[in-house]
């Protein structure tokens, strides 16, 4: 290189402290840090502006949906459940009823793995102020499981005080006709859903029915008719629709964002 | 190693430009992770492939180790970035940068037959931009400029004299 002698080297200077040249060369790249943070500021500002303006443009607010959780403390709702197989028992759990044996397993699992919070979370589930007075299942094993869960009103492990077992029915018609039942949960095999809902509505019972509502379009209209004529509350088990994303999607549709 | 190589003016300028540019990149990568409360290295670690993937997986599966990896990543990137830009402890910054880039490369090497769920922004065969950046920092380590253009000029002045 022809020019190698042009740049100076610190220790080739005389050692009389820091010269002006030292300061200029030592601090030469400091303005880059300033440029960096100026660029950083501009970019962040633009990103924030874009985010806010998109939100403004589509008029979606940034709030979380509000769930109106009003559990009546006055009148206890008396339920009956038809079908206590896998899905039926999952619904019972959602209602706050688990067999003691399941709770035993949760407790054991929590002892071995401290991140296993199933029992703690189950205990935190809100008290819905309900009682289950009737269990209907043609299969004895499932009926037994269901009754045990319903009797465990205090959410306790085995060998603790249980409430009396609910009455067991072998025919859903008897459960629907019972006087001590206000509403029914239907978690039977799919082809029964429509028939049982219509029968329950005609008996004046409110219905929570697992999906699918029916297997045939015609039957669907029959169900709607029975529910309306008998003025009962009906809910289909599309529980995903109560998740936050669905509420946001509903808001987006209502506000014509799409 | 020779710390006071004599460069021509243009050699010095472009070595410093390379140093500052890489420093800028490090600094920005660090800052972006710092201000993003949801950032974690876990996704990147779990997407690892190649010879060392088990090591990266075990880092991701240990909460303490993961926290440490996140912390070192963010502040390592920022410190290395500032070090390279300012020419401050340039040698340590270069070494740390090489180690960090080495970790990144070994986590996501562009080997034949290896694919990732996180898309890369280019097309690579063995050599990728992470490796090129690492090689560039190795060059910066061997052709140091911090004691000429940089705060190291003040720090190491007395010692050199």
């Amino acid at each position: 290189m022809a020019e190698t002698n042009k740049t100076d080297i610190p220790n080739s200077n005389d050692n009389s402290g820091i010269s002006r040249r030292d300061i200029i060369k030592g601090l030469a790249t400091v303005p880059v840090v300033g440029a960096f943070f100026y660029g950083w500021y501009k970019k962040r500002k633009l990103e924030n502006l874009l985010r806010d303006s998109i939100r403004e443009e589509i008029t979606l607010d940034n709030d979380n949906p509000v769930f109106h959780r009003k559990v009546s403390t006055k009148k206890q709702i008396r339920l009956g459940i038809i079908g206590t197989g896998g899905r039926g028992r999952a619904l019972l759990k959602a209602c706050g009823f688990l067999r003691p044996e399941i709770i035993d397993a949760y407790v054991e699992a929590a002892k071995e793995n401290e991140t296993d919070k199933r029992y703690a979370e189950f205990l935190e589930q809100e008290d819905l102020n309900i009682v289950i007075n009737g269990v209907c299942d043609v299969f004895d094993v499932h009926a037994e499981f269901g009754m045990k869960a319903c009797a465990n009103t205090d959410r306790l492990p085995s060998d603790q005080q249980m409430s009396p077992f609910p009455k067991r029915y072998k025919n859903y018609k008897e459960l629907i006709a019972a006087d001590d039942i206000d509403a029914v949960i239907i978690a039977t095999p799919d082809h029964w859903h429509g028939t049982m809902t219509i029968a329950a509505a005609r008996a004046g019972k409110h219905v929570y029915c697992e999906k699918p509502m029916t297997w045939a379009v015609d039957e669907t209209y029959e169900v709607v008719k029975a529910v309306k004529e008998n003025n009962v509350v009906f809910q289909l088990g599309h529980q995903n629709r109560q998740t936050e994303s669905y509420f946001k999607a509903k808001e987006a549709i209502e506000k014509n964002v799409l | 190693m020779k710390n006071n190589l004599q460069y021509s003016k243009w050699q010095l300028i472009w070595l410093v430009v390379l140093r500052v540019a890489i420093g800028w990149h490090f600094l920005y990568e660090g800052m972006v992770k710092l201000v993003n409360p949801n950032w974690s290295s876990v996704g990147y670690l779990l997407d690892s492939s190649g010879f060392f993937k088990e090591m990266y997986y075990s880092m991701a599966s240990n909460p303490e180790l993961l926290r440490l990896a996140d912390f070192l990543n963010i502040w390592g990137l920022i410190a290395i970035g500032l070090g390279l830009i300012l020419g401050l402890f340039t040698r340590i910054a270069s070494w740390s940068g090489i180690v960090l880039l080495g970790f990144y490369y070994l986590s996501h090497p562009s080997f034949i037959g290896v694919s990732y769920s996180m898309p890369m922004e280019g097309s690579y065969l063995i050599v990728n931009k992470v490796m090129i950046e690492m090689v560039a920092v190795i060059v910066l380590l061997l052709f140091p400029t911090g004691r000429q253009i940089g705060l190291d000029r003040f720090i190491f002045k007395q010692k050199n004299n």
Side-chain angles (χ1 to χ4, degrees), chain A residues 7 10 17 22 25-26 29 43, chain B residues 7 28 85 147 150 153 157:
Chain A
T7 49
D22 281 336
K25 293 201 166 183
T29 54
K43 187 164 179 176
Chain B
Y7 305 121
Y28 188 64
I85 293 175
R147 294 181 192 189
R153 191 180 180 96
K157 189 177 168 68

Side-chain angles (χ1 to χ4, degrees), chain A residues 1 4 7-11 15 17 22-23 25-30 32-33 35-37 40 43-44, chain B residues 4-7 11 16 19-20 24 27-28 31-32 35 85-86 147-151 153-154 157 160-161:
Chain A
M1 285 282 167
T4 43
T7 49
D8 68 332
I9 304 296
N11 62 357
N15 46 4
D22 281 336
I23 289 175
K25 293 201 166 183
L27 301 179
T29 54
V30 173
V32 175
V33 177
F36 176 91
F37 281 101
W40 171 261
K43 187 164 179 176
R44 296 278 295 171
Chain B
N4 295 310
L5 293 174
Q6 293 199 25
Y7 305 121
Q11 284 173 324
V16 172
R19 196 190 80 201
V20 168
W24 182 295
L27 180 58
Y28 188 64
M31 291 291 293
V32 163
V35 298
I85 293 175
L86 295 172
R147 294 181 192 189
Q148 295 176 54
I149 305 291
L151 297 175
R153 191 180 180 96
F154 307 122
K157 189 177 168 68
N160 288 339
N161 290 338

